[in-house]
Amino acid sequence: MKNKIFGILMILVSAMALHSCLLDDDEVFSESASARLAAFNQEVRETLTSGNATWLFEIYPEVNQQYGGYAFSLVFDQSKVAVRSELFGADKEVVSLWKMTTDDGPVLSFDTYNEILHLFSTPSSSMYQAYQGEFEWVVESAEQDLVRLRGKKTGNILYMRRLTESAEDYLNKISEVEESIIMTALSGKINSKDVSFLIDTDNRQFDIFTQTDTISVAYTITPEGFRFYKSVDINGVAVSEMSVNTDQAGAIESVAVKATGDLLSAVFPEGWRPYDAFPGDYTLYYYTYGLNDKNRYEVNTVAQVDVQIVQDVIGKSYLLKGLSPNADIVLSYVKSKGVLGINSQVLGKNGDNNVWLCAWGIDDGGNLSWSTDYGMVSVWNGDEENPEYGFEDNGNWTTSVDSFILWETTATGTSIGVFGDTSWNFVGGVQGSSYGNRLPYFSECALVKK
Amino acid sequence: MIKSVMKKNIIIYVSLFAAVVISLTACSEDKLDKDSVIAVPNKEKNAFDKWLEVNYVQPYNISFKYRYEEIEADFNYYTIPADYDQAVELAHIVKYICIDSYNEVGGVDFTRKNFPKEFFLIGEWEYENNGTYILGTAEGGKKILLSGVNYLDTYKNSIYELTGKYLKTIHHEFTHILNQTVPMPTDFQFVSEKTYIGSVWNTSPYNDAAYYLSKGHISAYSQQVHTEDFAEMMSMYVCYNEAQWQSWMTTAGEEGAALIEEKLSIVRRYMKDSWGIDIDELRDVIQRREADLISGKIDLADLSI
């Protein structure tokens, strides 16, 4: 027994004594960790500053990206960075300092205040956590045209992409795409299976419904369309980008899934009409004046006139022909609402003076104005087959507009008075009287498509 | 027999011990790397850095950190960096109103030895979740956090705002530092002994000026504890002018004013006896310098060295 113990001990001792003395502790890396970190930071600096590049930085604040993503552009020099964003308009640039630091690995820090870049991080009394944004990111990789970053606080994975165009051009294109989003949803098929997208434009989120799943993902706007925060699986297809197709007025009518080419159709809000729905022949019924039994003019007659709506500036406006004998009335196309707008406008000249079609609020005190923002917008009856339109105040003026009147001003805009030339009497209305130069209670009219 | 077994065991243990010692001996000697593993980034100094070097670091060994460093920030709050231009202005203001005032009254050695060694600037206030916010804080008698720097342009033309939002904090924290070196007179804590209320000082009725003044406290925060009271007495006295002080004394009434004056005389004695500083002279100097600032006598953006 004793010998056994002794034997075991001897083996142990021998094992220890035979402990290797080979110098096989070669370093995996030839340099220390801090030296490698410093070298990497230097690489990142060179990448960011090389070629005076403009970098597109799509920033998603908050850990669940609940506010969506927004485009920022950055131009770095050795110590300063010039920043723009779609949120401030392409023309505004703010310069501040930046650095590469090492407090959490290789960290890109924007360490003096920049009104644009620190927008999501700037707290206030009402938002003490701001948008839970950040201004320091760990650089995970830096390639010539693509830098991958991880939010120090949120862990959100973001990318900087080298732009091949100016920041202004890029940001302006994005604004255009944003303005083209009228739709509330998209529907169609991806990978031959039904899918629908609900869009939340305020927070830049898609809720995607397939037959089996509901997927939510935040997006940013690109000049082509949409880029998701991350690639999502929709009916077995990885989808991360979509490009948009717009109609002639610039409203998105369909969206193509980049990965598959599948086309999804836009679903528009109730009451919204596309630009090409309006041109055509119409009958306009409107109130005009007639003589009452005391031989005074009052609004007591319904006029009827054949008019035409024709394209003017494609996607922007139309001309209303047939109502004014001497001029076409310009109707605007209000894309965001899908309606016609009829605002105060100069219809013609009387010598050097201007003849205005003025917005007029008879029931709201009788004020009139030649401000071109004031006027009315159309209201559709909702009937695709037999469309009919009324009009209502466009809400731009404190006076509620319900009528129009011809008014004369000097070329410099000094009021002269009601325009009484009866050769300007509206077609179908009372003739031979200055009352014929008025469209009282146009809000009650009916524009019926033939 | 027992002895011989024991002997054998001892031999075994000794040889085992020897073997362990041998096996734990290093096989070779690693040479020390002559390069430190701590890499100090080679930062290019801008005009402001150079100005700070000459006006803060060299004369006083004060680090004026105007660029954001997460490690310096309070993780309990969402904070953002200070604006460069306004940080430049604030550096001038702190120097002209605080550092130079103490130099003038207490001598440059006093400032060098005692003035806080680090300032850290952030752009916004530190907002609480109830809509209130923190103006500035101090840590360990060394570092002063100045928040809300990005509002400096809004407040810099009003001495009242400038003092309330930024400068008073510095004088307040500086008083703490002095107290840590030379303790305040023990009789101070007994003057208002019964009216220190702890953390509820910012709730009603304690946060009402008429209330705390009548109880003999110069500010709501004074009511927390006697150490804060001391720092508040000192900073409020030197930061605000005589008219303002008298208006507070009127609100305080006879009883309240008597308590405040009693505490003030202890502060006055302490500053004179322990530090050789006449607080009335200090107040005059600060007032004069504040007037200079408001009249535009100081170019706050000048970074020439």
Side-chain angles (χ1 to χ4, degrees), chain A residues 2-3 6 9-10 12-13 16-17 19-23 25 32-35 38 78-79 97-100 102-104 109-114 118 121-133 135-136 152-153, chain B residues 1 5 8 12-13 15-16 19-20 22-23 25-28 30 33 36-39 41 43-44 46 66-71 76-84 86 123-125 127-133 150-151:
Chain A
K2 252 181 246 158
N3 281 345
F6 186 70
L9 285 172
M10 281 315 287
L12 281 173
V13 171
M16 285 180 207
H19 171 82
S20 167
C21 262
L22 274 176
L23 293 173
D25 59 343
S32 68
S34 59
Q78 288 304 322
S79 60
L97 301 181
W98 70 283
K99 71 181 170 206
M100 287 301 299
T102 54
D103 61 2
D104 192 7
S109 173
F110 298 95
D111 62 347
T112 61
Y113 181 63
N114 186 305
H118 292 100
S121 332
T122 303
S124 61
S125 290
S126 55
M127 285 188 88
Y128 77 105
Q129 297 184 320
Y131 295 92
Q132 296 188 28
F135 50 88
E136 295 194 309
K152 239 170 136 179
K153 287 183 186 163
Chain B
M1 185 62 182
V5 171
K8 217 185 214 170
I12 291 168
Y13 293 141
S15 39
L16 263 177
V20 168
I22 292 165
S23 68
T25 309
C27 297
S28 67
D30 275 340
D33 195 332
S36 168
V37 294
I38 300 163
K43 267 189 226 156
E44 204 179 301
N46 61 37
Y66 68 95
R67 297 181 72 160
Y68 195 85
E69 289 176 37
E70 194 182 32
I71 195 73
N76 289 317
Y77 301 95
Y78 276 77
T79 55
I80 53 162
D83 174 65
Y84 177 90
Q86 294 181 81
E124 262 293 345
W125 313 113
Y127 290 97
E128 306 278 3
N129 63 3
N130 59 5
T132 62
Y133 57 84
N150 298 352
Y151 293 99

Side-chain angles (χ1 to χ4, degrees), chain B residues 266-297:
Chain B
I266 299 173
V267 173
R268 187 179 278 122
R269 194 179 75 221
Y270 166 84
M271 288 301 293
K272 188 75 196 164
D273 294 352
S274 303
W275 302 103
I277 285 180
D278 178 341
I279 60 169
D280 294 292
E281 188 190 344
L282 179 62
R283 178 159 81 160
D284 290 345
V285 169
I286 291 174
Q287 298 301 314
R288 189 193 75 228
R289 287 175 171 273
E290 285 178 348
D292 288 348
L293 184 71
I294 295 302
S295 67
K297 216 170 158 185

Side-chain angles (χ1 to χ4, degrees), chain A residues 32 53 72 139 145 234 243 319 365 409:
Chain A
S32 68
F72 292 73
V139 180
D145 298 325
I234 303 172
S243 58
L319 296 177
T409 73

Side-chain angles (χ1 to χ4, degrees), chain B residues 16 48 53 69 72-73 90 142 144 152 155 192-193 196 215 237 258 295 303:
Chain B
L16 263 177
F48 187 27
E53 184 71 27
E69 289 176 37
E72 299 286 3
L90 189 57
K142 275 191 299 200
I144 291 183
L152 187 67
Y155 295 129
S192 292
E193 194 181 13
Y196 293 122
K215 299 286 176 192
Y237 188 72
S295 67
L303 290 177

Side-chain angles (χ1 to χ4, degrees), chain B residues 15-153:
Chain B
S15 39
L16 263 177
F17 181 73
V20 168
V21 169
I22 292 165
S23 68
L24 289 179
T25 309
C27 297
S28 67
E29 203 178 308
D30 275 340
K31 275 183 194 151
L32 283 175
D33 195 332
K34 65 176 171 30
D35 298 321
S36 168
V37 294
I38 300 163
V40 182
N42 225 347
K43 267 189 226 156
E44 204 179 301
K45 286 198 165 116
N46 61 37
F48 187 27
D49 294 328
K50 289 173 189 161
W51 185 90
L52 287 171
E53 184 71 27
V54 170
N55 289 283
Y56 274 79
V57 180
Q58 287 168 6
Y60 308 106
N61 194 28
I62 294 171
S63 168
F64 195 88
K65 293 187 172 181
Y66 68 95
R67 297 181 72 160
Y68 195 85
E69 289 176 37
E70 194 182 32
I71 195 73
E72 299 286 3
D74 186 335
F75 286 11
N76 289 317
Y77 301 95
Y78 276 77
T79 55
I80 53 162
D83 174 65
Y84 177 90
D85 291 334
Q86 294 181 81
V88 170
E89 294 174 344
L90 189 57
H92 283 78
I93 292 171
V94 169
K95 179 177 183 297
Y96 191 76
I97 306 279
C98 299
I99 296 177
D100 289 351
S101 294
Y102 284 106
N103 280 348
E104 194 174 331
V105 181
V108 71
D109 285 340
F110 166 82
T111 315
R112 277 184 185 145
K113 200 168 165 192
N114 299 296
F115 206 73
K117 292 297 174 209
E118 186 187 325
F119 285 86
F120 177 60
L121 274 51
I122 56 173
E124 262 293 345
W125 313 113
E126 291 184 333
Y127 290 97
E128 306 278 3
N129 63 3
N130 59 5
T132 62
Y133 57 84
I134 294 174
L135 295 175
T137 54
E139 268 175 32
K142 275 191 299 200
K143 169 182 156 185
I144 291 183
L145 169 80
L146 289 175
S147 62
V149 175
N150 298 352
Y151 293 99
L152 187 67
D153 283 344

